[in-house]
Amino acid sequence: MVPLRPVVPQLAPSILSADFAKLGEALAMLEASGAEVAHVDVMDGRFVPNITVGMPVVAAMRKVTSLPLDCHLMIVEPSRYALEFVAAGASWVSVHQEADPHLHRTLDSIRKAGAKAGVALNPGTPIETLTDLIGDFDFVLLMSVNPGFGGQSFIPRILGKARRLDALRRSRNTPFLIQVDGGVSIKNAAELVTAGADCLVAGNAVFKAPDPAVAIRELQAVMRAARQV
Ligand code: DX5
Ligand code: ZN
């Protein structure tokens, strides 16, 4: 039987906070440090005010790392591009609930293409929008800042949202991962995992640390202790 949530929590450092001229080095460092996933923030200047990277950069990263690439699509009409990200090498693809009126179809197409399908929720979007999709996605990304930029402050009420989503998962007896993204640090990592998070995205807490490899290990240690691993 598939457990409702994995025992070992995962850390997904966000390459948004890395030096874009040295992405290969950043990925090698993540892999050597034991990070489980590399988070890739895709922004289009429309769904969010910022613009970052697209499929060619994902394809280039795919060539130099064996880490799963987790593409967080902060774009309008994500269904137009989701499969192109899978073809470029994304192993996980999340689309925003607020950007897609046909989530069921988009999630199904991502899964059929062989990737994990996720739904991302902005801080103000209730988890209840997902109740009729449970079983149709592999993970939920809870935004704990307003999407668009790294280095913002964590919104504490997301802890309660993670707890309610964990309770929903239990009440429906359906496994999926809970990912939390934005303002994650050594200060809130343990309480997020205790609240139900299985995968934490961390940009500045990793790449702006004096030693990113040490920061990864410290975050993982705190997360595992919270799960008593
Ligand atoms: C924000 C992005 C995040 C960002 C997190 O829109 O979705 O993934 O990289 O950065 P930190 O951890 O610095 O808040
Ligand atoms: Zn993100």
Side-chain angles (χ1 to χ4, degrees), residues 20-147:
F20 274 6
K22 297 180 181 166
L23 282 181
E25 287 170 40
L27 290 165
M29 181 278 293
L30 295 185
E31 219 168 307
S33 310
E36 284 86 4
V37 180
H39 185 81
V40 184
D41 288 304
V42 177
M43 306 187 190
D44 66 352
R46 294 186 64 207
F47 183 69
V48 289
N50 201 1
I51 300 179
T52 56
V53 299
M55 295 81 80
V57 175
V58 173
M61 291 193 292
R62 182 70 291 154
K63 286 189 192 149
V64 297
T65 185
S66 57
L67 284 174
L69 298 175
D70 164 30
C71 291
H72 175 193
L73 304 188
M74 286 164 275
I75 62 176
V76 297
E77 297 185 64
S79 59
R80 284 180 63 186
Y81 297 102
L83 297 190
E84 293 193 41
F85 280 95
V86 179
S91 323
W92 305 21
V93 176
S94 58
V95 295
H96 269 264
Q97 185 274 344
E98 305 84 359
D100 192 347
H102 303 294
L103 270 178
H104 183 275
R105 182 162 60 203
T106 307
L107 294 166
D108 189 51
S109 69
I110 294 169
R111 278 182 158 183
K112 283 190 174 134
K116 282 189 196 297
V119 184
L121 300 181
N122 280 338
T125 304
I127 61 165
E128 286 72 20
T129 58
L130 300 178
T131 50
D132 290 299
L133 284 171
I134 292 189
D136 298 327
F137 49 75
D138 301 295
F139 68 107
V140 177
L141 182 162
L142 295 179
M143 285 303 311
S144 41
V145 297
N146 288 294

Side-chain angles (χ1 to χ4, degrees), residues 150-185:
Q152 303 182 79
S153 299
F154 179 77
I155 300 170
R157 71 158 65 185
I158 301 304
L159 281 163
K161 199 169 177 181
R163 277 184 212 109
R164 288 191 294 116
L165 187 57
D166 182 44
L168 179 62
R169 166 169 71 177
R170 286 173 203 283
S171 73
R172 299 284 289 268
N173 199 29
T174 305
F176 56 83
L177 298 180
I178 299 178
Q179 184 180 53
V180 176
D181 182 8
V184 169
S185 74

